[in-house]
Amino acid sequence: MKRFVYADNAATTPVSREVIEAMAPVFSEQWGNPSSLHAKGREAKELLDGARERIAKVFSCSANEIYFTSCGSESDNWAIRGAVKRLAKKGRNHIVTSAIEHPAVLNTCRDLEKEGYPVTYVGVDSDGIVKMDELEAAITDKTAVVAIMFANNEVGTIQPIEEIGKLAHAKGALMFTDAVQAIGNIDIDLSKLPVDMLALSGHKIHAPKGIGMLYIKKGVVIDNLISGGGQERRKRAGTENLPYIVGLAKALEVASAKIPELDRVVKMRDRLIEGLEKVPFSKLNGHRTQRLAGNVNIGFEFIEGESMLLWLDISGICASTGSACSSASLEASHVLLAMGVPHEKAHGSVRLSITHETTEEDIDYILETLPPIIEKLRNMSPLWEEIVKGNQN
Ligand code: PLP
C-alpha cells in the first residue's frame, strides 16, 4: 500500500510542535524590538538574552560568543570573508578548504579567489574524509582560515575536526567549521574543541528556515559582513528575528537531548544500507561508520538519479540525489566526483536522510519500493541490456 515517507531531512525538516509552541507567544505577545528601551523592548531583550544563554549551555560556550544570522549560508559567508579580510591586514590572506564543502562555502571561496585571495581546495579519500597529509601541507604561515565542514550534507561523512583544528592552530590559522549537518548528530563541546568559528542553521533541526548562528570564540576578531545598526554587539546588523531565535534555542535543546537516542536511527540507517546493497551493481557512498546517523547515500549503476527520484516521488517517497541546493542542476555531484566516483556512477546515486521521526515501517516501505524501481529503470536502459546479454553469453 502506498505511504508517504519523508526521507529528505538533510534538505530540510518540518518545524516541530514544541518549536511552534515556543515561538507562538513571541509573534503574538512578546513582539517588541530588543533594541527599544521601553518595557516592550526590555521584554524582548530578556527573551533574546535567554535564548542566547540556553544555546550557550548546549555548546558549553559563553553567551557572548553566539551571533544570530539569517541562515547557515550567511554564517558561512561571514566566517570566511570576515576572517580572511581581517587577517589579510596582518599578512595572512590564504584560505584552506576542502573540495566537498557545501556551495555556501565553496562559492564564497571562489568569489574571494576572484578578489585576489588564494584558496587551496584539499582533496578527500574515497570515503569522503579529508586527506590529512594534503591538508597539513596546505596550511602555511600565510593561511588566515581553515574551513572544513563537520559533516558532509550529501554522503554524511564526519571529518576529524579536532585533529584538523589542531593542525590549523599549529600554524597560527583560524579554524572554522560548517556544522549545519552535524548539529543534533554529534555532541559538540566548544569549551574543548579547537574551533574558532562554527556555523549552524535552524531548519535542519526542526526550527524554521531563515535562522542561523555563528559561534565566534572570545578573542577572535573578524570583519563584519553586514553594515547597519548596532545589533549583536555591533557585529551583525539587522533587527533580531526574535521568534525564530527563540525557536532555534528550543530546537537545539531538543536536538541535543535526543543525541543519546540516535542508536535507533543508526540501526534503521544500517538496515536500509544492507537492504539496498543487495541490489546488484550498487555501492554505498561515504564512510560506513564515520557517517551521520540518518544518512544513506547509495549509487546504482546504469541508472539516472533523476528518473529514480521521480519514481520514488510517484510512490510517495521524498529523497534527493545530492544537496537540495544543487538538485536543480543535472550536473554530477561535486562531492562524489571528488571522492573519485566516476561520472556515470555519480549520476545514479540517491540520498535518503532519516531522523528520529522515521519509523521501521518507513524503512520497510523504502526497501519494498526502491529495488523494483531500479529494476524497471534498468530494463529500459540499452546499457543494462548489453550487460545482461554479456552475462548470458
Ligand atoms: N552548509 C551545509 C552543510 C548545508 O547542508 C546547508 C544547507 O543545506 C547550508 C550550509 C546552508 O544552510 P541554509 O540553508 O540555512 O542557508
Side-chain angles (χ1 to χ4, degrees), residues 10-11 70-74 76 102 104-105 149 151-153 178-181 200-204 210-212 323-325:
S70 67
C71 59
S73 301
E74 184 193 325
D76 285 343
H102 186 273
V105 167
M149 68 200 321
N152 183 264
N153 46 302
D178 171 340
V180 168
Q181 295 287 339
L200 64 84
S201 174
H203 72 105
K204 312 292 183 178
I211 183 71
S323 74
C325 318

Side-chain angles (χ1 to χ4, degrees), residues 77-141:
N77 269 264
W78 182 18
I80 299 168
R81 286 175 199 275
V84 79
K85 292 198 173 183
R86 167 65 58 141
L87 290 168
K89 295 164 202 157
K90 294 183 184 161
R92 286 181 178 264
N93 67 346
H94 173 230
I95 301 162
V96 174
T97 190
S98 84
I100 62 161
E101 298 295 308
H102 186 273
V105 167
L106 277 184
N107 288 334
T108 298
C109 290
R110 285 182 191 132
D111 287 349
L112 285 164
E113 245 180 325
K114 285 182 212 143
E115 291 177 36
Y117 298 92
V119 181
T120 307
Y121 301 89
V122 174
V124 295
D125 66 15
S126 57
D127 284 333
I129 308 262
V130 168
K131 289 180 178 159
M132 296 302 281
D133 48 348
E134 227 181 85
L135 182 88
E136 189 170 9
I139 311 171
T140 70
D141 60 1

